[in-house]
Amino acid sequence: MTIFASTFFELIGTFMLTPWLVLRLSEQGAAPAVIGLFAASAWLGILLVTPLASGLTQRLGRRRALALSAAVPALTGLGYLLPWFGAATVALWFALKLAGGMAAGLRWVLAESIVAECSPLARRGRNVGLFETMVGATFVLGPLLLAAVGPSSEAALKLAVALLAIGWIWSLALPTLPSAPEPAEAHVGWRGVVQALRAHPVIMAAGFCGGFFESGLTSILPLYGLALGLGAAAAALLVSASGLGSALLMLPAGLAADWLGRRPGQSGGAAGARLQLMRLAAAVTLGGTLLIPWIAATPWLAWPVAFVWGGAGGCLYTLAMIDIGARERGVALVNATAVLVMAYTLGGVLAPSLAGAALQWAPRAGFPALLLAVALVCWLLLARAHASHRV
């Protein structure tokens, strides 16, 4: 309960704060390129810290590392309350955003691994699915709360910082976590990252595909809608369709993993059930992508396809997290989660840049070809994978 509540408040504050900062930079006359780099600095922070997550966790312990990951965003939030001083403040904001992104990356890895490791075997899928659904809800609730308070008001900034502080305080209430048995061959840092990647290459491919279709395409969907001839409001609603698919399907995916894993005679046991569900999610992603050529003639298809992309992408990430949570413990689990987060983040970063270029240079052929290539490779890798009986 503590890990859910503290993460919930921290993410609500984060998803209020980020659009507030973007709007404030725009109001102060910052160039679009500068604003884009500012928004990307948080993702850079995530990529920088994830390889270090296992070393920090081993040095500080999971409870203190989690508290640190909650304290940094709250403290950086206070920095945004400083008066505006032009270029000097922009540089400070970049530094604060980078630090906040690094803390968010550490929080992401630790929270996911703790939920997976501390869940009973029979309810691991349910708990991970609930956690991912809660995270997805904050993507909607944060901006809604910002709009209700005032998109660029000082009150909104103070409320966001207060929510970050609540997340920090709640993190301090986390009880002492039981020590997990450490595999003798487990490493930390980059050696651990490489070790995890070698141990779970197909799972990481599923994470990349999930990040590509759930997170990455979300930012480009309005542009895709405009290219289809949709109005601005209708194009923006494609993002909502993707988010709705993600929010509605991740918990059922977790529950299905639990239920199928308990069925007698299940081929490959619980691991086989998870692999079958990931194959299904990849096949649904591929099937939705195959509909792209018909969307131009029937634009209403864009909404169910966006729903499928968001939902299947979220399911791939959720099932991958359940799988590594069933296979690993301690530092090895932190390493595997870090690599999964890196793969998901990489997919989320590459999708809008590659898809945007495809829409600009070859909207009729390049855009569907790119998406089909990613979906097909993911499906083929999962189709050829073999489930381990080790859970």
Side-chain angles (χ1 to χ4, degrees):
M1 177 61 185
T2 302
I3 193 72
F4 274 70
S6 61
T7 303
F8 177 79
F9 282 108
E10 182 176 333
L11 290 180
I12 289 286
T14 297
F15 294 127
M16 276 189 73
L17 184 61
T18 298
W20 186 94
L21 293 168
V22 168
L23 289 171
R24 180 55 62 93
L25 283 171
S26 179
E27 290 173 358
Q28 296 294 334
V34 172
I35 297 174
L37 288 173
F38 176 76
S41 61
W43 291 102
L44 176 60
I46 291 172
L47 289 173
L48 287 174
V49 81
T50 42
L52 309 176
S54 59
L56 288 170
T57 302
Q58 189 180 67
R59 181 180 296 272
L60 299 175
R62 287 184 292 181
R63 188 170 179 270
R64 286 195 292 174
L66 194 70
L68 175 65
S69 73
V72 171
L75 293 174
T76 57
L78 294 175
Y80 299 120
L81 292 169
L82 296 174
W84 182 270
F85 291 122
T89 302
V90 173
L92 173 63
W93 281 19
F94 265 89
L96 293 174
K97 192 66 173 172
L98 181 65
M102 294 179 71
L106 181 59
R107 175 83 180 197
W108 188 353
V109 172
L110 284 173
E112 300 266 2
S113 61
I114 289 171
V115 170
E117 183 171 324
C118 295
S119 296
L121 175 61
R123 295 198 300 273
R124 181 176 288 118
R126 167 185 171 272
N127 290 351
V128 172
L130 274 173
F131 186 80
E132 304 301 348
T133 301
M134 179 272 292
V135 170
T138 63
F139 280 81
V140 179
L141 294 175
L144 283 177
L145 188 55
L146 177 66
V149 176
S152 57
S153 67
E154 292 294 331
L157 174 59
K158 292 176 181 177
L159 178 58
V161 174
L163 290 169
L164 291 170
I166 292 172
W168 177 15
I169 293 169
W170 211 311
S171 294
L172 299 176
L174 188 72
T176 302
L177 297 168
S179 298
E182 299 288 355
E185 69 279 7
H187 300 288
V188 298
W190 278 106
R191 288 185 67 191
V193 166
V194 173
Q195 185 181 40
L197 185 57
R198 288 175 175 171
H200 309 288
V202 176
I203 295 298
M204 301 315 160
F208 176 87
C209 187
F212 192 96
F213 282 95
E214 182 194 19
S215 176
L217 283 187
T218 298
S219 58
I220 208 72
L221 281 175
L223 183 61
Y224 179 52
L226 293 174
L228 292 173
L230 301 177
L237 286 176
L238 291 175
V239 177
S240 299
S242 175
L244 185 64
S246 179
L248 292 181
L249 297 182
M250 288 189 290
L251 177 57
L255 292 172
D258 287 341
W259 179 68
L260 290 174
R262 292 194 297 266
R263 288 181 62 188
Q266 170 65 45
S267 176
R274 294 189 297 270
L275 181 57
Q276 287 180 15
L277 288 169
M278 282 189 278
R279 286 171 176 164
L280 176 61
V284 169
T285 302
L286 180 59
T289 307
L290 287 170
L291 293 175
I292 291 180
W294 287 271
I295 293 179
T298 51
W300 63 266
L301 274 176
W303 281 279
V305 168
F307 180 91
V308 164
W309 284 340
C315 288
L316 280 170
Y317 178 84
T318 299
L319 291 164
M321 188 65 236
I322 295 168
D323 192 78
I324 60 175
R327 297 172 186 270
E328 305 290 1
R329 289 292 181 271
V331 168
L333 176 57
V334 174
N335 282 328
T337 306
V339 175
L340 179 60
V341 168
M342 291 175 68
Y344 182 91
T345 301
L346 186 61
V349 169
L350 287 179
S353 55
L354 295 178
L359 281 172
Q360 179 177 347
W361 298 109
R364 292 188 177 275
F367 183 73
L370 169 67
L371 270 58
L372 278 171
V374 175
L376 182 61
V377 169
C378 179
W379 178 75
L380 287 173
L381 287 172
L382 288 168
R384 297 179 61 185
H386 298 283
S388 166
H389 292 273
R390 180 165 57 93
V391 299

